[in-house]
Amino acid sequence: MVFWLRHSLSCAFGILAVISGAALADEPKATPEQERFFEEKVRPVLATKCWECHGTKKQESGLRLDSRASILKGGDSGKPAALAGDADKSLMIEALHHRGDVQMPPETKLPEGEIAAITDWVKQGLPWPAGSASASLALTAVQRAAADRQSHWAYQPVSPPAVPANVGGYHTNGPLDAFVAAKLQAAKLTQSPEADRRTLLRRLSFDLIGLPATSEEVMAFEQDAAPDAYERQVDRLLASPQLGARWGRHWLDVARYADTRGYAFQKDRRYPYAYTYRDYVIDSMNRDLPYDQFIREQLAADQLQLGDNKKPLAALGFLTTGRRFNNRNDDIDDQIDAVTRGILGLTVACARCHDHKFDAIPAEDYYSLYGVFASIEEPNELPLIAQPQESEAFQAFEAELNKRRTTMNDFIAAKHRETIDKSRQQTADYLARIAAGDRNVLLEKLTFLSLDPKDLRQPLVDRWKKFLAERTTNNEHALWGLWQELLALKDTDFAAEAPKVIERFAQRPEGVEKGQFNPLLKAAITAEQPATRMDVPRIYGKLLVATLGPWKDAGSNDEAINKLDAAQQQLARVLVAKESPTDLPATDTRNFLNRADRNQLDGLQKKVQEFEASSPVAPPRAMVVYDKKQLYDPKVFIRGNQARPGKPVPRQFLLVMNSAEQRQPFKQGSGRKELADALVSPSNPLTARVLVNRVWMNHFGEPIVNTPSDFGIRTEAPPLQNALDWLAAELPTHGWSMKDLHRQIVTSAAYRQQSNDRADAHQIDPENRLLWRMNRRRLEWEPLRDNLLAVSGRLDLAIHGKSVELTKAPFPRRRSVYGSLDRQDVPNLFRVFDIASPDSSSPRRPRTTVPQQALFLMNSPFVVEQAQALAQRPEVTAAENNSDKIQSLYRLVFGRAADDEERKIAEQFLSSTPPAGEGVKLNPLEQLAQLLLLTNEFTYVD
């Protein structure tokens, strides 16, 4: 047993196997969340640690670990490697933890994160995504992309389908209803009647602005006999400044917005200016910013013509307010995931370690996008987007902030100069590193962890590599031609061949032009003949460093170079001219620091960030990104391992969205603007469909496509695809107006139906996929809390501004969208009410019904406070008797009067309930107010 288990967990990096093991008959179907967890956390561990020895090509001890069935079957021992759902009794988990005699892998224990992922997977029951080997997996990426473009419904061009004509007997308000009616007709289903006006206005108000309709608004609507009464209510709500708060929150779920970065070592976890992104989103929804422009600004606002208005720079918070992983590769992965799942509905991040298992997204495409986001950086000082209000408090803030920034910037400047000087003095060492060729890349990438300032810096090695590669394309260069020829010699031939090469170069005319020989190099190389290849970088380095003296004597600036003779100028420019390997931008200083210096810099930055985050007078700034001066040229990381760079790839858009002939590399800097243009291009079939599906979901409670962030080939064409495509085709023709999209949906007959269940229809379409009725929905956390404040008369409707703490007394009255969200410490209350996780882009919120939700409404001090305020509203206190007080409460809470039975029950309650006293916080009227806030009618929308 020990033998096979030891081998099963100690495999070296292997080739990703195509799964061929048959699933057990009772194998559970993996949920989308489990599939994502498996593909991101479990599969990479199995693929790199196990499958080489226990996959399709090789089965040590009769054991395979490339399917759920084979894991449960086990190897020659006859015992399973893992027990589904029981990690504590699974041999694999015991071995991974190195408990007892069995220690897997035997050489080095796996990282705790990988062990935790495998443990969680076993506890989940070993869910294995459906879809075994298929012929398409053997195709090339180009062939698969072409096949998918031709066959998959979501990849077809968006065009308006023909509107059904034969839907007599169904009430339709336009083409959208005709598509819904045609599906109902085919299924022999009828529509539900239109909801009453109070229900319609309550539904419409919560959907569009997230707030309840008042009793006055309901009464006015009920009494409005004009044929366009409903449409005017729609227009009124679409024009409300509260629209942005409701629909901005929906987008913030997709954008994985939060006010903190998550766990941060030696840094302040807070984002002092995250709120400016939230304000931008809310303002964009209110202004009806065209969706295509909305996307362009979120990816590349800094590259657009903004004029004097710099507020759109805050849009770049889409890229910068996500979770930070203290690992740039994971940060980039998060950005790729947010862009591709959030806007395109494609799970591109699944191709980080290997070609996508299902969709035609090769790893090359992932790293093409990786190159885009690896070519951007965040500045140390964020740009102002509004002028500060002058005051004594602001002047004091400015003085202290400048003091802290000066300390930080002085440190950066000193380290920048120190790094440049050190790197120039170490020229011979860097040249020797290039001459020696690649060694342990992983260790070199981590040189910043060293406390020794003498260690070479890998970013500088990379700069030298690029510099030399551009100058050694042939041997005609007066300075680097000799370098190229000498380093091309084999070690065994060097002693015999090098003198011949040097003699041939010595015959060239002296000079610095093409085909000549730099006289200073000629003198150095003939005076000290290199005996080995490694003597070449030593001689070159010594010669280059020697020119620093004359350059410094001439003034040590750009003009000083021109004061040198031509031969010295050519040498000096290698080290001191712009674009030389040692011309390091000050903004890149941190990348060249060792661990001790980085920690010191992080501490100084933390002092600045903490002060800005805590100051109420800090003016708004945008969390922007800019393109790096030195763009990143991506390579595929084999198995997702940065230490194993593979094939170079250009920065470009996805292959499945273009033919191989049409696709062109991005040419404008990092490529962010070109990426944004590709996302909203008329030829892109996904962006409009994905948006329409999200908006539809938030109006109807259910999406047309059940996987809002995954339109890949596993997603079947939905029953209402024609409705989806018609709206998606209309979107760009109406200027990408989201308000127009809202209007088309909420004015439809399908939206205006009753929500009552019908047994006959339920039997045919139990999930209501064909929309034979409206879906009844529970209010999410934000509109529920806002509703409590609204009916109590205490809601603050101010828009924009910094985040507030919602869960601590004194409870703020601002709308819930302005609540502070800490990634590392999400309040339990938020989790209870299913708020979207801010750790990644959220396709839709979970929907649970748990006792804690009712207990909150029963016991929360916040709810008690609102019940007391509700009972003290003038409309209630001015009433002369209990009957009138009850009617006032009902109108405030439900927008309607109490019926006779409700009034009688409430009067009996008031007369039989003891007054407030010892152990009783609320008087009878306040208790009645809280009871009304506990009802389904208050917390649900029909």
Side-chain angles (χ1 to χ4, degrees), residues 37 50 153 179 302 357 534 918:
F37 181 80
C50 302
W153 70 270
F179 293 115
D302 59 306
K357 182 181 178 185
M534 298 310 296
E918 186 176 351

PDB file of all heavy atoms in Angstrom, residues 37 50 153 179 302 357 534 918:
ATOM      1  N   PHE A  37     -13.527  25.478  -9.368  1.00  0.00           N
ATOM      2  CA  PHE A  37     -12.570  25.119  -8.325  1.00  0.00           C
ATOM      3  C   PHE A  37     -11.662  23.993  -8.817  1.00  0.00           C
ATOM      4  O   PHE A  37     -10.443  24.034  -8.623  1.00  0.00           O
ATOM      5  CB  PHE A  37     -13.331  24.680  -7.072  1.00  0.00           C
ATOM      6  CG  PHE A  37     -12.433  24.297  -5.917  1.00  0.00           C
ATOM      7  CD1 PHE A  37     -11.859  25.269  -5.123  1.00  0.00           C
ATOM      8  CD2 PHE A  37     -12.154  22.962  -5.643  1.00  0.00           C
ATOM      9  CE1 PHE A  37     -11.021  24.923  -4.064  1.00  0.00           C
ATOM     10  CE2 PHE A  37     -11.321  22.609  -4.605  1.00  0.00           C
ATOM     11  CZ  PHE A  37     -10.751  23.593  -3.808  1.00  0.00           C
ATOM     12  N   CYS A  50       1.042  14.227 -10.619  1.00  0.00           N
ATOM     13  CA  CYS A  50       0.607  12.821 -10.580  1.00  0.00           C
ATOM     14  C   CYS A  50       0.465  12.142 -11.934  1.00  0.00           C
ATOM     15  O   CYS A  50       0.748  10.957 -12.065  1.00  0.00           O
ATOM     16  CB  CYS A  50      -0.735  12.705  -9.852  1.00  0.00           C
ATOM     17  SG  CYS A  50      -0.706  13.330  -8.172  1.00  0.00           S
ATOM     18  N   TRP A 153     -23.789  28.399 -31.032  1.00  0.00           N
ATOM     19  CA  TRP A 153     -24.800  29.454 -31.214  1.00  0.00           C
ATOM     20  C   TRP A 153     -24.321  30.819 -30.719  1.00  0.00           C
ATOM     21  O   TRP A 153     -24.604  31.845 -31.349  1.00  0.00           O
ATOM     22  CB  TRP A 153     -26.093  29.063 -30.494  1.00  0.00           C
ATOM     23  CG  TRP A 153     -25.990  29.094 -28.991  1.00  0.00           C
ATOM     24  CD1 TRP A 153     -25.625  28.083 -28.173  1.00  0.00           C
ATOM     25  CD2 TRP A 153     -26.238  30.229 -28.149  1.00  0.00           C
ATOM     26  NE1 TRP A 153     -25.621  28.494 -26.861  1.00  0.00           N
ATOM     27  CE2 TRP A 153     -26.001  29.807 -26.817  1.00  0.00           C
ATOM     28  CE3 TRP A 153     -26.647  31.540 -28.381  1.00  0.00           C
ATOM     29  CZ2 TRP A 153     -26.157  30.659 -25.727  1.00  0.00           C
ATOM     30  CZ3 TRP A 153     -26.785  32.401 -27.296  1.00  0.00           C
ATOM     31  CH2 TRP A 153     -26.552  31.952 -25.984  1.00  0.00           C
ATOM     32  N   PHE A 179     -41.567  36.990 -29.500  1.00  0.00           N
ATOM     33  CA  PHE A 179     -40.668  35.843 -29.352  1.00  0.00           C
ATOM     34  C   PHE A 179     -41.065  34.998 -28.141  1.00  0.00           C
ATOM     35  O   PHE A 179     -41.041  33.767 -28.199  1.00  0.00           O
ATOM     36  CB  PHE A 179     -39.231  36.328 -29.195  1.00  0.00           C
ATOM     37  CG  PHE A 179     -38.670  36.995 -30.418  1.00  0.00           C
ATOM     38  CD1 PHE A 179     -38.324  38.337 -30.391  1.00  0.00           C
ATOM     39  CD2 PHE A 179     -38.504  36.289 -31.601  1.00  0.00           C
ATOM     40  CE1 PHE A 179     -37.822  38.959 -31.520  1.00  0.00           C
ATOM     41  CE2 PHE A 179     -37.986  36.907 -32.734  1.00  0.00           C
ATOM     42  CZ  PHE A 179     -37.655  38.249 -32.690  1.00  0.00           C
ATOM     43  N   ASP A 302      -7.181  56.271 -19.747  1.00  0.00           N
ATOM     44  CA  ASP A 302      -5.987  57.109 -19.828  1.00  0.00           C
ATOM     45  C   ASP A 302      -5.518  57.305 -21.260  1.00  0.00           C
ATOM     46  O   ASP A 302      -4.705  58.191 -21.528  1.00  0.00           O
ATOM     47  CB  ASP A 302      -4.855  56.491 -19.001  1.00  0.00           C
ATOM     48  CG  ASP A 302      -4.494  55.091 -19.483  1.00  0.00           C
ATOM     49  OD1 ASP A 302      -5.416  54.247 -19.566  1.00  0.00           O
ATOM     50  OD2 ASP A 302      -3.311  54.827 -19.758  1.00  0.00           O
ATOM     51  N   LYS A 357      -9.953  23.053 -21.475  1.00  0.00           N
ATOM     52  CA  LYS A 357     -10.420  21.689 -21.679  1.00  0.00           C
ATOM     53  C   LYS A 357     -11.595  21.628 -22.638  1.00  0.00           C
ATOM     54  O   LYS A 357     -11.744  20.664 -23.393  1.00  0.00           O
ATOM     55  CB  LYS A 357     -10.813  21.077 -20.333  1.00  0.00           C
ATOM     56  CG  LYS A 357     -11.267  19.626 -20.446  1.00  0.00           C
ATOM     57  CD  LYS A 357     -11.663  19.081 -19.092  1.00  0.00           C
ATOM     58  CE  LYS A 357     -12.175  17.650 -19.211  1.00  0.00           C
ATOM     59  NZ  LYS A 357     -12.671  17.125 -17.928  1.00  0.00           N
ATOM     60  N   MET A 534      34.290  33.281 -21.073  1.00  0.00           N
ATOM     61  CA  MET A 534      33.903  34.147 -19.964  1.00  0.00           C
ATOM     62  C   MET A 534      34.867  35.308 -19.767  1.00  0.00           C
ATOM     63  O   MET A 534      34.582  36.234 -18.992  1.00  0.00           O
ATOM     64  CB  MET A 534      33.776  33.338 -18.679  1.00  0.00           C
ATOM     65  CG  MET A 534      32.702  32.260 -18.748  1.00  0.00           C
ATOM     66  SD  MET A 534      31.101  32.889 -19.356  1.00  0.00           S
ATOM     67  CE  MET A 534      30.663  34.034 -18.063  1.00  0.00           C
ATOM     68  N   GLU A 918     -39.656  46.904  31.612  1.00  0.00           N
ATOM     69  CA  GLU A 918     -38.470  46.119  31.909  1.00  0.00           C
ATOM     70  C   GLU A 918     -38.396  44.897  30.996  1.00  0.00           C
ATOM     71  O   GLU A 918     -39.313  44.068  30.958  1.00  0.00           O
ATOM     72  CB  GLU A 918     -38.487  45.675  33.369  1.00  0.00           C
ATOM     73  CG  GLU A 918     -37.200  44.966  33.782  1.00  0.00           C
ATOM     74  CD  GLU A 918     -37.177  44.618  35.255  1.00  0.00           C
ATOM     75  OE1 GLU A 918     -38.080  45.085  35.985  1.00  0.00           O
ATOM     76  OE2 GLU A 918     -36.268  43.891  35.659  1.00  0.00           O
TER      77      GLU A 918
END
